[in-house]
Amino acid sequence: MGEVFTAAVLVAVVASAIRLAVPLLLASLGETFGQRSGVLNLGVDGIMLLGAFAGYYAVLKTGNVWLGLLAGAIVGLFLGLASSFIAVTLKAEQGISGIGVYLFGLGMSDLLFQKLVGTPIPINTFPKVDIPILSDIPYLGPMFFQHSTVVYLAFAAIPVSTFIINRTTFGMNIRAVGEYPEAADTLGVSVAGTRWAAETIGGTLAGIAGGVLAISLGIFQQNLTNGAGFIAIALVYFGAFTPLGIMWGALLFGAINALVLELKTLEIIPRDLSNLAAMAPAIITILALAVVARRIRAPAALTKPFTRGH
Amino acid sequence: MNRITKLAILIAVFALVAAACGSDSDSGSDSGGDGFRVAIVAPSASNDLAFTQSMVDAVNSLKDSGVVSEVAITDGTFVPEDGATAIRDYASDGYDLVIAHGSQYGAFLPEIAPDFPDVSFAWGTAADTYGLPNVFSYEAASDQGGRVMGIMAAALSQSDVVGIVGPIEVGDAKLYVDGFKAGVLVGKPGADVPVNYIDSFSDVALASEAATSLIGAGADVLSGTAQMVVGAITVAKADGVLWFGTQANQTSLAPEIVVASQVYHWEGILEEIVSNVKGGTLGGELYSITFANGGLVIEYNDDYPLPDDVRELGDNAVKAFEDAG
Amino acid sequence: MTDRSSPILEMKGITKRFPGVLANDNVDFDVYPGEVHTLLGENGAGKSTLVKILYGLYPADEGEVLIDGEVVSLDSPTDAIEHGVGMIHQHFMLVPTLTVAENVSLGLKSSRGALTDLKAVSERILELSNEYGLDLDPSAVVWQLSVGERQRVEIIKALYRDARLLILDEPTAVLTPQEVDQLFVTLRKLTDDGRGLIFISHKLHEVLALSTRITVLRRGAVTGQIPVEGATRESLANMMVGRAVKLTPDKLPAEPGEIALKVQDLIVMGDRGVIAVDGLNLSVRRGEILGIAGVSGNGQRELAETIAGLRQSESGTIEVAGIDVTGARPRKIRDAGLAYVPEERMREGAIGDFTVWENLLLIDYSSPEYLRSGFFKFGAIKEHSQDLVDTFDIRTPSLETSCGSLSGGNIQKVIMARELSSSPTVLVASQPTRGVDIGAAEYIHRRLIDTRNELTDAEFIHAKLIEHRNACTAILMISEDLDEIFGLSDRVAVIYEGKIMGIVDPETATREEVGLMMAGITTTNA
């Protein structure tokens, strides 16, 4: 037992946590844009699934992982536009219409996979890129600097998202229409336009997240995401609607899963407790939410469609 | 936007969803045999190279040989309640045999089967008919193949660490994992055999990380069961770690590293079930596929240069099971 | 120089219908450069509708709008802003989570392209605030600002956009007399620049002081358009209401009983972590109204919230009807006999999505009178709600109407009805008539005085509350409206920086004296 928490285990857990966190992180960042603008998209998982299939299929046909990522992004973009149309223009009940998008993505991704591929065929995965010098640092190198390019890009997306939300006029408009759309409207900010844009960014990032998942795993399967999109939605709240908070949430979630896996591999969790350990991510997430919930304020206009003059 | 437009769009969306989901089930109605109709309800895709495919292949081969005339499949019903609905639909459509291919559907059979006394139900993998006269149950002695491949894995491992990725510790998966582990320990009593049950049948990403973790713990041979192991196989392939498969031939996923797969051939017991049904016995029996009855087969990957002595170990182990009957 | 002989704005034959209501009935209205043209009218008279049409928030059903003699189509606020129209809304159109500078720059092109240029915006805000005497910190987040400060942001927002035609919807409702004077100086600077102002107010002395011309609306139609010369408060009020109106409430001399609310050495922190209530002492007796006068942001909100149990105090004690309720939960404080009419009526006083009857039931919902084994007794509830609606003259299409769709005055009447129906020993009322116009305001004032003498107002008391008939209510009324303070209070306490500066008798004190105390200057010892 004494050798359980060796440096090697720690390195493995951290590296694994980062890999598990990346799809959640990307999807959750996307959802943050939508939610900050006042639109809740419960269809993230469906968009991820279609993005995952598109990414998988593009790589299968071309062998190029970056074309796969692009395919995931494009599918996400179109589903983001569709979600915007339903939520913003049609003003549908967001808690319900998102579930429709999810079911559509779940069914359609599987249907396309069955019709176009059939038997699973492995595809190329993202190449690992060791960052010069940094990757040679003992322990830290294998933890943080021996990942694939998309991992670095996903983490780079955090400060970029923070910057967009806090320092650009677009980000300011997003915050305004998510909080008090009437006020933004009286100053000539297009509430619908801003929400469309934010929601479409959300869809695109969800599509990318799905593509990253499939191309990282090198395979597609029915319901590949296994509900990751819903965890991503929860992470938005967990992260207090800020990119940095979401990053910590995604890493925490990944770390708990990675730690439980590692402990199982080392067989230091008694079999009887294995099921309990499997619930640990959910339990810790709920506890963490209970602790942070007091400090979190959701955008005031979240899920509320905007109509001028009401 | 007025209400009618909204409604129309909602209907359109749901129609698309329904189309996407509904088209999973297809029925070949071309005639053959003497009009015996079989339906399968299964949790994963019919070409999953694993659990579901093994049964779909078996039923299709019975259709090819004319034993049954019509096959209907609803796959991907990983939500048990959806599966139960499909089972009931097939029964009320008058199918002669409805195969509930997933232990998770069992709980619904005592509710469904009594309502359709003229329909026979087959449920697996399980060893319980609930005492119902129109329910058969079937299982695979997957521990047998596990043991055979475990013995070979022990011989191939240089690190003396052989890892196993499992889903949830129940039923067929537990049987296989325990058999495989026992086989490794027979081959190399001092070997380390870490088992990682990820507590999910569907989380491919977690299966992938479990494989990474096992490889990190020194494993140079891996095995695993259930449909989420595709994630583990791609990791094994990327790291050049050997793989033993089960439930279907997994060679096509990674020809470089798959040594052999235990394959289920349900045809034999299915044929028995069908002839029972035709003869008026609609249930009550338990079936198990084994090496002895030809239901289990080890399929080797011809592209993998398996040393002859290791192959011989495997063949001997199979023969021991066949001899034991 | 601007040509002052031709109007900036002409609205001709404006008609606007809402389901069941004719909100504007063939209204003609115009504004010349350099003038203040006031719109006067009761709740629902159509003033807001008219200016919302002008600001592009509603389309008119009939009529046309001309700006500088050209017919324009105002389909959105963007159109209005582009034509030089600015609006200071009654319910502030500010995003509470954004800073002052962000709110001001919202919707404007940034000098730095896609990036915000808050530095430049802040500099311009400071320039404007110096020029017009509107003290503001551009980096402050709006939700932390007092109501008065928020209004300054609204004004800056319009000035920043260099509006030539400025709509001011009840801008003085939240200000002290000094602030009003200051605002008027600002507004006169604007008219001197050749801008035209549309002023909406129900404070008749302010209307008379500021306006050039006055248009009175009643039930959507213009009932009079007169120059300010020769107009009197009485004549204006009569044009508005269509009958003679009593502008000062009648009240009988107070007969104060024992102390019902006692606050001692109370210290409370504000949202920004600074002391908001600083060792405050006060007591209110049964059967009297203690008015708290003060500029917004001097601890009034924190004081009221702390008494109601919505905010924790640092130290000090609060007693309601002799019971120490310091730090107690709101429910316990209510049980002790306190009723509370909060300052933010839409946010804290009523639930907009709930129906009128649900809002009326919010406190008593669990009383056995309305609840049997977990089920509402709808018969009793409806009867009780209808009684309150009738007694308080709540103008609602039905009991099932959602409270949020009522006018501000009617929402306030719903809250008053609910709070007073519990026959409280102590009533804390914050800004009871802010944003409520004359007709409704007149009614609410009458109720406050009736309640003080509950025994004499049988109409107001339900038979079931008869056991409380000997108890008179102690009322703590917090208001920034000096008319209200002087018209209702038996004693007036002036609050400044979280302390009571002094207590004066409204019969003998002057507005100037109170105004100076509100600014922190003590003249005489009370």
Side-chain angles (χ1 to χ4, degrees):
Chain A
M1 291 295 278
E3 34 134 27
V4 165
F5 290 102
T6 60
V9 169
L10 187 64
V11 168
V13 167
V14 172
S16 170
I18 289 173
R19 286 192 298 268
L20 286 169
V22 162
L24 295 174
L25 177 61
L26 286 167
S28 202
L29 281 179
E31 179 71 5
T32 306
F33 280 94
Q35 291 202 14
R36 287 295 286 265
S37 80
V39 184
L40 173 70
N41 182 7
L42 287 182
V44 178
D45 205 50
I47 299 175
M48 282 179 79
L49 280 166
L50 275 166
F53 174 73
Y56 170 80
Y57 192 65
V59 177
L60 186 68
K61 289 294 158 189
T62 66
N64 186 323
V65 292
W66 303 112
L67 282 179
L69 202 60
L70 183 68
I74 290 170
V75 165
L77 177 96
F78 278 103
L79 285 165
L81 290 170
S83 302
S84 305
F85 179 66
I86 294 167
V88 182
T89 305
L90 300 185
K91 305 186 205 306
E93 189 66 48
Q94 290 169 20
I96 295 166
S97 64
I99 297 296
V101 173
Y102 162 64
L103 290 174
F104 173 74
L106 177 66
M108 189 54 88
S109 62
D110 188 41
L111 176 70
L112 291 171
F113 179 70
Q114 299 302 331
K115 298 292 176 203
L116 298 177
V117 184
T119 300
I121 303 164
I123 53 167
N124 295 343
T125 55
F126 294 110
K128 277 203 171 60
V129 176
D130 291 359
I131 294 184
I133 305 167
L134 292 177
S135 63
D136 298 331
I137 303 172
Y139 308 124
L140 294 181
M143 280 186 201
F144 301 112
F145 305 112
Q146 297 180 9
H147 288 284
S148 61
T149 315
V150 284
V151 173
Y152 306 126
L153 290 178
F155 281 86
I158 296 159
V160 171
S161 302
T162 306
F163 184 83
I164 291 173
I165 290 170
N166 292 329
R167 296 292 173 84
T168 66
T169 51
F170 173 58
M172 191 167 79
N173 290 350
I174 286 177
R175 285 181 285 140
V177 302
E179 199 64 43
Y180 195 7
E182 291 79 5
D185 183 55
T186 57
L187 293 177
V189 174
S190 165
V191 176
T194 305
R195 287 181 168 178
W196 266 79
E199 179 73 350
T200 303
I201 290 175
T204 307
L205 278 168
I208 291 174
V212 164
L213 182 68
I215 301 168
S216 299
L217 295 171
I219 201 81
F220 185 85
Q221 196 174 64
Q222 178 194 47
N223 193 25
L224 183 79
T225 55
N226 197 40
F230 291 98
I231 293 166
I233 294 168
L235 283 177
V236 175
Y237 189 82
F238 183 95
F241 303 87
T242 63
L244 199 63
I246 284 159
M247 180 195 79
W248 291 119
L251 284 175
L252 178 69
F253 192 85
I256 295 161
N257 271 309
L259 184 66
V260 168
L261 274 183
E262 196 64 29
L263 295 180
K264 283 178 184 169
T265 292
L266 299 170
E267 305 201 293
I268 59 167
I269 297 184
R271 282 286 172 80
D272 304 343
L273 293 179
S274 171
N275 288 339
L276 211 61
M279 284 188 280
I283 292 168
I284 293 177
T285 307
I286 290 166
L287 288 179
L289 267 181
V291 173
V292 294
R294 290 154 185 253
R295 292 185 282 116
I296 296 173
R297 238 193 91 262
L302 185 59
T303 76
K304 295 192 182 111
F306 171 73
T307 308
R308 179 175 292 161
H310 279 254
Chain B
M1 194 64 57
N2 63 43
R3 263 158 196 257
I4 294 178
T5 320
K6 273 192 205 177
L7 197 67
I9 286 166
L10 268 178
I11 289 169
V13 166
F14 280 105
L16 272 170
V17 172
C21 299
S23 53
D24 281 355
S25 52
D26 50 358
S27 60
S29 57
D30 40 321
S31 59
D34 49 3
F36 195 88
R37 299 162 76 217
V38 178
I40 306 172
V41 177
S44 51
S46 46
N47 49 7
D48 64 352
L49 285 182
F51 186 68
T52 300
Q53 185 169 356
S54 68
M55 179 56 74
V56 170
D57 287 350
V59 178
N60 279 328
S61 92
L62 289 194
K63 190 182 158 205
D64 292 343
S65 62
V67 177
V68 302
S69 63
E70 186 185 326
V71 179
I73 303 163
T74 293
D75 62 356
T77 48
F78 54 90
V79 177
E81 286 75 10
D82 294 346
T85 307
I87 291 166
R88 184 177 279 279
D89 286 350
Y90 283 129
S92 59
D93 280 356
Y95 278 80
D96 299 292
L97 175 63
V98 179
I99 301 174
H101 191 53
S103 47
Q104 63 265 51
Y105 303 138
F108 299 97
L109 286 179
E111 297 169 21
I112 300 172
D115 294 347
F116 303 96
D118 298 334
V119 176
S120 173
F121 296 86
W123 171 46
T125 54
D128 187 0
T129 63
Y130 291 109
L132 294 165
N134 58 339
V135 174
F136 293 105
S137 77
Y138 58 86
E139 60 179 342
S142 55
D143 54 322
Q144 295 187 356
R147 187 182 174 94
V148 170
M149 294 194 294
I151 289 169
M152 290 192 280
L156 291 171
S157 173
Q158 290 170 354
S159 64
D160 289 356
V161 182
V162 177
I164 311 172
V165 179
I168 295 173
E169 195 173 357
V170 290
D172 185 63
K174 178 172 165 49
L175 215 54
Y176 174 76
V177 170
D178 290 350
F180 191 92
K181 180 165 184 168
V184 175
L185 293 174
V186 166
K188 274 194 186 140
D192 190 9
V193 194
V195 179
N196 204 326
Y197 282 107
I198 65 163
D199 288 293
S200 166
F201 278 96
S202 51
D203 198 326
V204 180
L206 218 50
S208 155
E209 289 299 329
T212 305
S213 163
L214 290 166
I215 293 167
D220 61 351
V221 182
L222 291 179
S223 184
T225 176
Q227 62 268 23
M228 80 298 165
V229 294
V230 290
I233 296 171
T234 55
V235 168
K237 183 181 167 189
D239 286 20
V241 168
L242 298 178
W243 179 265
F244 285 92
T246 184
Q247 295 183 335
N249 191 330
Q250 291 168 337
T251 300
S252 68
L253 279 170
E256 304 88 343
I257 52 112
V258 173
V259 180
S261 305
Q262 166 176 244
V263 180
Y264 296 170
H265 288 282
W266 302 102
E267 299 90 314
I269 61 151
L270 267 186
E271 228 175 316
E272 269 187 62
I273 290 175
V274 170
S275 71
N276 268 335
V277 174
K278 285 177 178 171
T281 307
L282 297 185
E285 309 241 353
L286 307 170
Y287 292 93
S288 180
I289 50 171
T290 62
F291 283 115
N293 66 19
L296 295 180
V297 173
I298 300 291
E299 291 183 2
Y300 290 93
N301 173 8
D302 295 334
D303 293 338
Y304 178 76
L306 183 65
D308 289 342
D309 56 330
V310 179
R311 171 78 184 243
E312 202 181 320
L313 285 173
D315 289 344
N316 288 342
V318 170
K319 195 159 188 318
F321 279 118
E322 286 171 349
D323 293 345
Chain C
M1 282 307 292
T2 323
D3 174 12
R4 300 206 174 189
S5 60
S6 53
I8 305 177
L9 170 76
E10 293 164 89
M11 298 178 86
K12 292 182 181 170
I14 301 291
T15 295
K16 175 72 186 173
R17 293 176 197 90
F18 291 113
V21 185
L22 186 56
N24 281 159
D25 183 6
N26 196 23
V27 173
D28 291 334
F29 186 75
D30 56 5
V31 180
Y32 283 80
E35 79 162 343
V36 178
H37 192 160
T38 292
L39 271 174
L40 198 59
E42 275 208 280
N43 264 351
K47 313 175 302 272
S48 289
T49 305
L50 188 68
V51 294
K52 280 181 174 170
I53 288 168
L54 175 56
Y55 200 60
L57 290 167
Y58 290 146
D61 295 331
E62 286 164 39
E64 55 185 14
V65 179
L66 289 79
I67 288 180
D68 295 330
E70 306 265 328
V71 175
V72 293
S73 75
L74 301 166
D75 296 330
S76 70
T78 322
D79 292 345
I81 292 167
E82 274 172 14
H83 285 104
V85 181
M87 179 153 176
I88 288 151
H89 299 263
Q90 185 180 355
H91 298 296
F92 298 142
M93 285 295 167
L94 296 171
V95 182
T97 48
L98 264 48
T99 65
V100 170
E102 285 176 324
N103 267 289
V104 169
S105 67
L106 205 56
L108 291 177
K109 262 205 153 54
S110 165
S111 62
R112 293 169 64 206
L115 305 184
T116 52
D117 55 352
L118 297 179
K119 222 172 169 181
V121 172
S122 300
E123 279 167 21
R124 177 77 184 126
I125 289 173
L126 289 175
E127 273 173 37
L128 284 169
S129 52
N130 287 338
E131 191 178 342
Y132 293 99
L134 299 158
D135 188 25
L136 269 181
D137 171 8
S139 63
V141 182
V142 164
W143 69 266
Q144 296 177 324
L145 300 183
S146 70
V147 174
E149 287 167 318
R150 288 181 200 198
Q151 185 180 57
R152 283 176 232 156
V153 184
E154 281 282 40
I155 295 171
I156 291 271
K157 247 166 66 179
L159 295 183
Y160 196 97
R161 286 163 175 73
D162 202 22
R164 287 181 305 131
L165 183 64
L166 202 61
I167 306 160
L168 299 132
D169 192 357
E170 307 241 7
T172 62
V174 296
L175 305 180
T176 64
Q178 282 84 0
E179 280 178 315
V180 171
D181 291 346
Q182 228 181 335
L183 173 70
F184 283 7
V185 170
T186 304
L187 297 183
R188 287 200 185 95
K189 276 186 188 166
L190 295 174
T191 51
D192 288 349
D193 294 347
R195 287 177 238 246
L197 304 187
I198 301 172
F199 184 62
I200 299 176
S201 175
H202 67 265
K203 292 186 181 170
L204 298 175
H205 66 270
E206 288 174 358
V207 169
L208 291 169
L210 186 71
S211 309
T212 316
R213 278 191 296 159
I214 300 159
T215 291
V216 181
L217 289 174
R218 189 164 78 237
R219 290 188 195 137
V222 175
T223 55
Q225 196 164 72
I226 52 169
V228 73
E229 294 81 15
T232 64
R233 293 175 66 188
E234 283 69 25
S235 67
L236 291 176
N238 293 355
M239 278 165 78
M240 279 168 68
V241 184
R243 61 178 162 81
V245 174
K246 218 174 277 170
L247 289 169
T248 318
D250 291 328
K251 62 176 185 177
L252 303 167
E255 289 173 23
E258 73 272 30
I259 289 174
L261 173 68
K262 191 168 188 182
V263 175
Q264 278 185 301
D265 303 323
L266 190 69
I267 295 179
V268 182
M269 302 298 269
D271 291 334
R272 278 169 286 184
V274 294
I275 289 177
V277 177
D278 188 6
L280 184 139
N281 289 289
L282 62 80
S283 59
V284 188
R285 293 176 179 275
R286 286 179 178 239
E288 75 161 350
I289 297 178
L290 176 68
I292 302 255
V295 182
S296 75
N298 272 290
Q300 296 99 315
R301 183 159 53 120
E302 289 83 359
L303 172 64
E305 287 177 0
T306 310
I307 293 173
L310 303 175
R311 188 182 280 272
Q312 288 295 314
S313 58
E314 300 296 310
S315 65
T317 58
I318 300 167
E319 283 176 29
V320 170
I323 302 165
D324 184 352
V325 295
T326 316
R329 295 174 187 204
R331 171 58 76 179
K332 204 187 148 205
I333 299 174
R334 282 192 176 279
D335 291 345
L338 183 107
Y340 176 48
V341 176
E343 173 180 343
E344 296 270 350
R345 78 177 66 107
M346 311 256 263
R347 193 164 295 184
E348 294 167 3
I351 301 175
D353 291 340
F354 276 28
T355 62
V356 168
W357 71 262
E358 284 169 330
N359 271 290
L360 288 171
L361 197 68
L362 278 178
I363 297 169
D364 294 331
Y365 67 91
S366 61
S367 126
E369 221 159 321
Y370 308 121
L371 198 70
R372 185 189 313 159
S373 344
F375 292 95
F376 279 139
K377 293 156 77 174
F378 282 105
I381 290 169
K382 291 281 148 76
E383 200 178 315
H384 168 72
S385 311
Q386 193 59 52
D387 276 354
L388 291 178
V389 164
D390 294 343
T391 313
F392 279 85
D393 190 26
I394 297 166
R395 309 255 171 95
T396 172
S398 80
L399 291 176
E400 298 290 345
T401 304
S402 72
C403 207
S405 67
L406 301 182
S407 68
N410 278 302
I411 294 174
Q412 187 71 337
K413 285 192 276 183
V414 168
I415 298 166
M416 296 286 293
R418 181 186 68 216
E419 296 298 322
L420 292 174
S421 70
S422 65
S423 304
T425 312
V426 179
L427 174 70
V428 175
S430 276
Q431 320 292 353
T433 59
R434 174 192 292 168
V436 176
D437 12 67
I438 294 178
E442 184 193 14
Y443 191 79
I444 287 172
H445 286 167
R446 191 148 59 79
R447 274 298 148 209
L448 283 171
I449 289 163
D450 285 347
T451 311
R452 190 185 54 152
N453 297 307
E454 253 181 17
L455 277 171
T456 65
D457 191 358
E459 181 200 358
F460 182 73
I461 308 166
H462 292 281
K464 67 184 178 63
L465 299 178
I466 208 99
E467 67 263 27
H468 298 294
R469 69 186 183 281
N470 294 322
C472 295
T473 304
I475 298 172
L476 179 69
M477 184 182 72
I478 297 172
S479 178
E480 286 158 17
D481 178 352
L482 279 188
D483 284 345
E484 188 166 73
I485 291 282
F486 275 91
L488 291 181
S489 309
D490 299 307
R491 292 187 296 143
V492 176
V494 182
I495 192 168
Y496 175 74
E497 292 190 343
K499 289 191 178 98
I500 299 295
M501 294 295 292
I503 294 179
V504 299
D505 180 349
E507 299 294 324
T508 56
T510 64
R511 280 170 187 258
E512 288 65 34
E513 192 185 332
V514 170
L516 285 171
M517 285 164 77
M518 285 162 73
I521 302 158
T522 318
T523 46
T524 52
N525 278 328

